[in-house]
Amino acid sequence: MGKFVDSYGSLVEDRCKILIESNYNYEFLNGREASVEWDAEKGMYKYSVSFNNHNHTSDFHGIHKFKLISNP
């Protein structure tokens, strides 16, 4: 598992909670809390957000600013 840090240098790990501060692709996710998970098959982190009874899971492509809220 690789090391991954938020926009402020805090270490982010599997099952951490983050706050998406700015996303180029999906602006509706800005200001939302997300869970981080490690995808061992692809060797990368993904995030998952729940809203309007839907779950959105994606890699971090498009997110250019996010903040660690809590560790697992």
Side-chain angles (χ1 to χ4, degrees), residues 51-67:
F51 62 95
N52 296 336
N53 296 324
H54 291 49
N55 194 27
H56 175 83
T57 301
S58 184
D59 59 30
F60 277 78
H61 180 78
I63 292 182
H64 69 100
K65 190 173 181 185
F66 70 99
K67 174 172 56 173

PDB file of all heavy atoms in Angstrom, residues 51-67:
ATOM      1  N   PHE A  51     -25.027  10.270  -1.388  1.00  0.00           N
ATOM      2  CA  PHE A  51     -25.883  11.454  -1.490  1.00  0.00           C
ATOM      3  C   PHE A  51     -27.143  11.088  -2.258  1.00  0.00           C
ATOM      4  O   PHE A  51     -27.113  10.261  -3.159  1.00  0.00           O
ATOM      5  CB  PHE A  51     -25.156  12.626  -2.155  1.00  0.00           C
ATOM      6  CG  PHE A  51     -24.732  12.350  -3.560  1.00  0.00           C
ATOM      7  CD1 PHE A  51     -25.528  12.725  -4.628  1.00  0.00           C
ATOM      8  CD2 PHE A  51     -23.545  11.698  -3.817  1.00  0.00           C
ATOM      9  CE1 PHE A  51     -25.147  12.448  -5.929  1.00  0.00           C
ATOM     10  CE2 PHE A  51     -23.156  11.418  -5.119  1.00  0.00           C
ATOM     11  CZ  PHE A  51     -23.958  11.795  -6.179  1.00  0.00           C
ATOM     12  N   ASN A  52     -28.263  11.677  -1.878  1.00  0.00           N
ATOM     13  CA  ASN A  52     -29.543  11.438  -2.561  1.00  0.00           C
ATOM     14  C   ASN A  52     -29.816   9.949  -2.804  1.00  0.00           C
ATOM     15  O   ASN A  52     -30.230   9.551  -3.889  1.00  0.00           O
ATOM     16  CB  ASN A  52     -29.596  12.191  -3.889  1.00  0.00           C
ATOM     17  CG  ASN A  52     -29.553  13.680  -3.703  1.00  0.00           C
ATOM     18  OD1 ASN A  52     -29.915  14.205  -2.665  1.00  0.00           O
ATOM     19  ND2 ASN A  52     -29.087  14.382  -4.724  1.00  0.00           N
ATOM     20  N   ASN A  53     -29.543   9.121  -1.800  1.00  0.00           N
ATOM     21  CA  ASN A  53     -29.749   7.672  -1.891  1.00  0.00           C
ATOM     22  C   ASN A  53     -28.913   7.003  -2.977  1.00  0.00           C
ATOM     23  O   ASN A  53     -29.274   5.937  -3.467  1.00  0.00           O
ATOM     24  CB  ASN A  53     -31.235   7.338  -2.093  1.00  0.00           C
ATOM     25  CG  ASN A  53     -32.069   7.767  -0.916  1.00  0.00           C
ATOM     26  OD1 ASN A  53     -31.617   7.675   0.222  1.00  0.00           O
ATOM     27  ND2 ASN A  53     -33.267   8.236  -1.178  1.00  0.00           N
ATOM     28  N   HIS A  54     -27.813   7.619  -3.372  1.00  0.00           N
ATOM     29  CA  HIS A  54     -26.888   7.052  -4.356  1.00  0.00           C
ATOM     30  C   HIS A  54     -25.493   6.998  -3.733  1.00  0.00           C
ATOM     31  O   HIS A  54     -25.157   7.813  -2.880  1.00  0.00           O
ATOM     32  CB  HIS A  54     -26.827   7.913  -5.614  1.00  0.00           C
ATOM     33  CG  HIS A  54     -28.071   7.895  -6.421  1.00  0.00           C
ATOM     34  ND1 HIS A  54     -29.319   8.097  -5.901  1.00  0.00           N
ATOM     35  CD2 HIS A  54     -28.262   7.694  -7.749  1.00  0.00           C
ATOM     36  CE1 HIS A  54     -30.222   8.042  -6.854  1.00  0.00           C
ATOM     37  NE2 HIS A  54     -29.606   7.799  -7.987  1.00  0.00           N
ATOM     38  N   ASN A  55     -24.695   6.065  -4.191  1.00  0.00           N
ATOM     39  CA  ASN A  55     -23.321   5.953  -3.740  1.00  0.00           C
ATOM     40  C   ASN A  55     -22.410   6.193  -4.943  1.00  0.00           C
ATOM     41  O   ASN A  55     -22.549   5.534  -5.965  1.00  0.00           O
ATOM     42  CB  ASN A  55     -23.067   4.570  -3.134  1.00  0.00           C
ATOM     43  CG  ASN A  55     -21.794   4.515  -2.355  1.00  0.00           C
ATOM     44  OD1 ASN A  55     -21.335   5.513  -1.825  1.00  0.00           O
ATOM     45  ND2 ASN A  55     -21.210   3.338  -2.272  1.00  0.00           N
ATOM     46  N   HIS A  56     -21.513   7.143  -4.823  1.00  0.00           N
ATOM     47  CA  HIS A  56     -20.575   7.482  -5.890  1.00  0.00           C
ATOM     48  C   HIS A  56     -19.180   7.041  -5.447  1.00  0.00           C
ATOM     49  O   HIS A  56     -18.685   7.502  -4.423  1.00  0.00           O
ATOM     50  CB  HIS A  56     -20.591   8.998  -6.152  1.00  0.00           C
ATOM     51  CG  HIS A  56     -19.590   9.444  -7.150  1.00  0.00           C
ATOM     52  ND1 HIS A  56     -19.828   9.378  -8.505  1.00  0.00           N
ATOM     53  CD2 HIS A  56     -18.351   9.956  -6.997  1.00  0.00           C
ATOM     54  CE1 HIS A  56     -18.768   9.847  -9.145  1.00  0.00           C
ATOM     55  NE2 HIS A  56     -17.875  10.194  -8.256  1.00  0.00           N
ATOM     56  N   THR A  57     -18.564   6.133  -6.192  1.00  0.00           N
ATOM     57  CA  THR A  57     -17.213   5.664  -5.906  1.00  0.00           C
ATOM     58  C   THR A  57     -16.338   5.956  -7.114  1.00  0.00           C
ATOM     59  O   THR A  57     -16.734   5.690  -8.250  1.00  0.00           O
ATOM     60  CB  THR A  57     -17.193   4.152  -5.603  1.00  0.00           C
ATOM     61  OG1 THR A  57     -18.040   3.898  -4.487  1.00  0.00           O
ATOM     62  CG2 THR A  57     -15.798   3.672  -5.293  1.00  0.00           C
ATOM     63  N   SER A  58     -15.155   6.505  -6.850  1.00  0.00           N
ATOM     64  CA  SER A  58     -14.267   6.880  -7.949  1.00  0.00           C
ATOM     65  C   SER A  58     -12.832   6.934  -7.447  1.00  0.00           C
ATOM     66  O   SER A  58     -12.581   6.923  -6.245  1.00  0.00           O
ATOM     67  CB  SER A  58     -14.682   8.257  -8.500  1.00  0.00           C
ATOM     68  OG  SER A  58     -13.888   8.602  -9.614  1.00  0.00           O
ATOM     69  N   ASP A  59     -11.884   7.021  -8.398  1.00  0.00           N
ATOM     70  CA  ASP A  59     -10.508   7.285  -8.008  1.00  0.00           C
ATOM     71  C   ASP A  59     -10.386   8.792  -7.761  1.00  0.00           C
ATOM     72  O   ASP A  59     -11.370   9.516  -7.858  1.00  0.00           O
ATOM     73  CB  ASP A  59      -9.519   6.780  -9.067  1.00  0.00           C
ATOM     74  CG  ASP A  59      -9.740   7.405 -10.434  1.00  0.00           C
ATOM     75  OD1 ASP A  59     -10.204   8.557 -10.515  1.00  0.00           O
ATOM     76  OD2 ASP A  59      -9.420   6.737 -11.430  1.00  0.00           O
ATOM     77  N   PHE A  60      -9.219   9.254  -7.448  1.00  0.00           N
ATOM     78  CA  PHE A  60      -9.048  10.661  -7.082  1.00  0.00           C
ATOM     79  C   PHE A  60      -8.819  11.576  -8.281  1.00  0.00           C
ATOM     80  O   PHE A  60      -8.501  12.751  -8.102  1.00  0.00           O
ATOM     81  CB  PHE A  60      -7.916  10.806  -6.056  1.00  0.00           C
ATOM     82  CG  PHE A  60      -8.373  10.537  -4.657  1.00  0.00           C
ATOM     83  CD1 PHE A  60      -8.564   9.240  -4.200  1.00  0.00           C
ATOM     84  CD2 PHE A  60      -8.645  11.575  -3.788  1.00  0.00           C
ATOM     85  CE1 PHE A  60      -8.998   8.984  -2.910  1.00  0.00           C
ATOM     86  CE2 PHE A  60      -9.079  11.344  -2.493  1.00  0.00           C
ATOM     87  CZ  PHE A  60      -9.254  10.050  -2.058  1.00  0.00           C
ATOM     88  N   HIS A  61      -9.015  11.083  -9.487  1.00  0.00           N
ATOM     89  CA  HIS A  61      -8.899  11.917 -10.674  1.00  0.00           C
ATOM     90  C   HIS A  61      -9.911  13.063 -10.584  1.00  0.00           C
ATOM     91  O   HIS A  61     -11.089  12.842 -10.362  1.00  0.00           O
ATOM     92  CB  HIS A  61      -9.156  11.089 -11.942  1.00  0.00           C
ATOM     93  CG  HIS A  61      -9.060  11.876 -13.192  1.00  0.00           C
ATOM     94  ND1 HIS A  61      -7.850  12.218 -13.740  1.00  0.00           N
ATOM     95  CD2 HIS A  61     -10.015  12.430 -13.971  1.00  0.00           C
ATOM     96  CE1 HIS A  61      -8.078  12.935 -14.833  1.00  0.00           C
ATOM     97  NE2 HIS A  61      -9.377  13.074 -14.984  1.00  0.00           N
ATOM     98  N   GLY A  62      -9.454  14.281 -10.720  1.00  0.00           N
ATOM     99  CA  GLY A  62     -10.335  15.441 -10.675  1.00  0.00           C
ATOM    100  C   GLY A  62     -10.377  16.135  -9.333  1.00  0.00           C
ATOM    101  O   GLY A  62     -10.718  17.307  -9.250  1.00  0.00           O
ATOM    102  N   ILE A  63     -10.029  15.423  -8.264  1.00  0.00           N
ATOM    103  CA  ILE A  63      -9.988  16.076  -6.962  1.00  0.00           C
ATOM    104  C   ILE A  63      -8.625  16.742  -6.821  1.00  0.00           C
ATOM    105  O   ILE A  63      -7.597  16.092  -6.926  1.00  0.00           O
ATOM    106  CB  ILE A  63     -10.201  15.068  -5.816  1.00  0.00           C
ATOM    107  CG1 ILE A  63     -11.628  14.540  -5.853  1.00  0.00           C
ATOM    108  CG2 ILE A  63      -9.914  15.736  -4.465  1.00  0.00           C
ATOM    109  CD1 ILE A  63     -11.964  13.581  -4.743  1.00  0.00           C
ATOM    110  N   HIS A  64      -8.635  18.040  -6.596  1.00  0.00           N
ATOM    111  CA  HIS A  64      -7.347  18.703  -6.433  1.00  0.00           C
ATOM    112  C   HIS A  64      -7.170  19.308  -5.053  1.00  0.00           C
ATOM    113  O   HIS A  64      -6.097  19.824  -4.735  1.00  0.00           O
ATOM    114  CB  HIS A  64      -7.095  19.728  -7.538  1.00  0.00           C
ATOM    115  CG  HIS A  64      -7.963  20.922  -7.479  1.00  0.00           C
ATOM    116  ND1 HIS A  64      -7.543  22.103  -6.949  1.00  0.00           N
ATOM    117  CD2 HIS A  64      -9.231  21.126  -7.887  1.00  0.00           C
ATOM    118  CE1 HIS A  64      -8.517  22.988  -7.028  1.00  0.00           C
ATOM    119  NE2 HIS A  64      -9.540  22.418  -7.597  1.00  0.00           N
ATOM    120  N   LYS A  65      -8.199  19.220  -4.193  1.00  0.00           N
ATOM    121  CA  LYS A  65      -8.034  19.672  -2.812  1.00  0.00           C
ATOM    122  C   LYS A  65      -8.989  18.888  -1.915  1.00  0.00           C
ATOM    123  O   LYS A  65     -10.187  18.857  -2.165  1.00  0.00           O
ATOM    124  CB  LYS A  65      -8.318  21.164  -2.704  1.00  0.00           C
ATOM    125  CG  LYS A  65      -7.928  21.750  -1.368  1.00  0.00           C
ATOM    126  CD  LYS A  65      -8.068  23.268  -1.392  1.00  0.00           C
ATOM    127  CE  LYS A  65      -7.644  23.837  -0.061  1.00  0.00           C
ATOM    128  NZ  LYS A  65      -7.888  25.290  -0.001  1.00  0.00           N
ATOM    129  N   PHE A  66      -8.415  18.238  -0.889  1.00  0.00           N
ATOM    130  CA  PHE A  66      -9.227  17.510   0.082  1.00  0.00           C
ATOM    131  C   PHE A  66      -8.518  17.491   1.422  1.00  0.00           C
ATOM    132  O   PHE A  66      -7.305  17.676   1.499  1.00  0.00           O
ATOM    133  CB  PHE A  66      -9.559  16.095  -0.397  1.00  0.00           C
ATOM    134  CG  PHE A  66      -8.391  15.150  -0.429  1.00  0.00           C
ATOM    135  CD1 PHE A  66      -8.177  14.256   0.602  1.00  0.00           C
ATOM    136  CD2 PHE A  66      -7.520  15.139  -1.502  1.00  0.00           C
ATOM    137  CE1 PHE A  66      -7.117  13.372   0.576  1.00  0.00           C
ATOM    138  CE2 PHE A  66      -6.445  14.267  -1.548  1.00  0.00           C
ATOM    139  CZ  PHE A  66      -6.240  13.384  -0.499  1.00  0.00           C
ATOM    140  N   LYS A  67      -9.303  17.296   2.491  1.00  0.00           N
ATOM    141  CA  LYS A  67      -8.772  17.385   3.852  1.00  0.00           C
ATOM    142  C   LYS A  67      -9.161  16.143   4.647  1.00  0.00           C
ATOM    143  O   LYS A  67     -10.312  15.702   4.599  1.00  0.00           O
ATOM    144  CB  LYS A  67      -9.352  18.637   4.515  1.00  0.00           C
ATOM    145  CG  LYS A  67      -9.012  18.810   5.967  1.00  0.00           C
ATOM    146  CD  LYS A  67      -9.439  20.148   6.533  1.00  0.00           C
ATOM    147  CE  LYS A  67     -10.897  20.427   6.371  1.00  0.00           C
ATOM    148  NZ  LYS A  67     -11.352  21.648   7.059  1.00  0.00           N
TER     149      LYS A  67
END
